[in-house]
Amino acid sequence: MTEPEKRERILEISQRLAEIYPEALCALEWQGDPWRLLIMGRLSAQCTDARVNTVCRELFARYPTPAALAAGELSEIEELVRPCGLFRVKAKSIRDASRMLTEDYGGILPETMEELLKFPGVGRKVANLLLGDLYGKGGTVADTHCIRICGRFGMYPESLKDPVRVERIMDSLLPQELRCDFCHRIVQFGRDVCAARNPACQACPLRDLCEHGKKQDAS
């Protein structure tokens, strides 16, 4: 496909996903609190959103504010986040990020990629999630669902697994005002239909727009 054809294709996909999932819901249950989204985004690395939601119910009950988590005992935080994996690194980064938010930013998350990347444990994926959900100006959240599915759609080779390259490609194809909701819907679609293993191609409502599906039809 040419670049204009890819743009037209992904806009049609975005529109259909909006019809399938009218509410573009973030899979993380952050309850409208930017600090919670920061913490949950960090804990979601190499962990399912469902597990993060479960862990954070207890974490936020014990530490309900950034200041409380910033002053928390590291060993206790480690035990609370242990089910998320990489618990020692994650515990330290969420405590340090809470301290930075409290001491350096007055509890208000900054609105730029450059500033957000200063927070411990925050990479481009989490920063884009924050910018999109909080300020409506994020880039593509290139998580595993997005990387896998947009490759299957034909926006880039399916073998491409580089999140930064995927982010840049998708940003060039999708208008900024669509990116945040598109990424949330892709996560839902990935769970319901386009799984990593054994995707439900036969029942897929987007099959006619998918290069992976067309290859299957031709084989």
Side-chain angles (χ1 to χ4, degrees):
M1 283 187 288
T2 65
E3 289 300 300
E5 287 172 336
K6 288 181 180 180
R7 288 191 185 93
E8 184 177 355
R9 172 81 60 87
I10 203 67
L11 285 173
E12 174 65 20
I13 289 170
S14 177
Q15 183 176 338
R16 288 216 211 159
L17 284 172
E19 293 168 0
I20 299 167
Y21 304 105
E23 291 186 271
L25 299 176
C26 179
L28 297 171
E29 298 169 358
W30 58 287
Q31 300 178 344
D33 184 336
W35 166 67
R36 291 191 179 205
L37 186 58
L38 168 68
I39 299 306
M40 298 178 87
R42 173 64 185 109
L43 293 177
S44 69
Q46 300 180 36
C47 182
T48 65
D49 293 333
R51 179 167 294 174
V52 172
N53 289 334
T54 299
V55 166
C56 283
R57 291 186 195 110
E58 186 174 356
L59 178 70
F60 294 142
R62 176 69 181 85
Y63 302 106
T65 65
L69 186 56
E73 199 65 48
L74 189 58
S75 59
E76 183 176 4
I77 300 170
E78 287 177 351
E79 285 307 307
L80 288 170
V81 304
R82 181 186 286 268
C84 293
L86 304 172
F87 66 96
R88 288 192 175 87
V89 174
K90 289 182 178 181
K92 186 176 189 308
S93 64
I94 64 171
R95 188 180 71 166
D96 291 348
S98 297
R99 184 172 295 150
M100 180 182 291
L101 180 65
T102 303
E103 296 178 358
D104 299 345
Y105 292 91
I108 306 298
L109 277 169
E111 299 184 32
T112 68
M113 173 68 72
E114 182 182 19
E115 289 294 310
L116 287 171
L117 290 177
K118 294 179 181 178
F119 282 79
V122 173
R124 294 189 64 85
K125 184 182 80 170
V126 173
N128 277 319
L129 174 69
L130 293 167
L131 289 171
D133 274 32
L134 302 180
Y135 303 117
K137 58 182 185 181
T140 299
V141 179
D143 63 6
T144 56
H145 291 287
C146 177
I147 293 170
R148 176 180 75 253
I149 297 169
C150 290
R152 287 175 176 171
F153 285 150
M155 298 303 107
Y156 43 80
E158 287 189 50
S159 59
L160 178 62
K161 304 300 180 187
D162 183 334
V164 175
R165 288 183 63 192
V166 168
E167 176 193 338
R168 289 172 180 163
I169 291 168
M170 295 307 299
D171 282 359
S172 73
L173 300 174
L174 267 177
Q176 188 173 62
E177 64 269 18
L178 298 180
R179 293 171 195 161
C180 180
D181 287 351
F182 175 83
C183 291
H184 287 325
R185 289 177 176 128
I186 278 289
V187 171
Q188 293 174 281
F189 180 69
R191 289 176 177 158
D192 294 346
V193 180
C194 197
R197 297 180 181 179
N198 302 317
C201 293
Q202 296 296 331
C204 179
L206 302 178
R207 184 164 182 153
D208 60 309
L209 298 172
C210 178
E211 292 301 303
H212 185 90
K214 289 179 180 179
K215 288 176 186 175
Q216 286 198 332
D217 290 339
S219 62

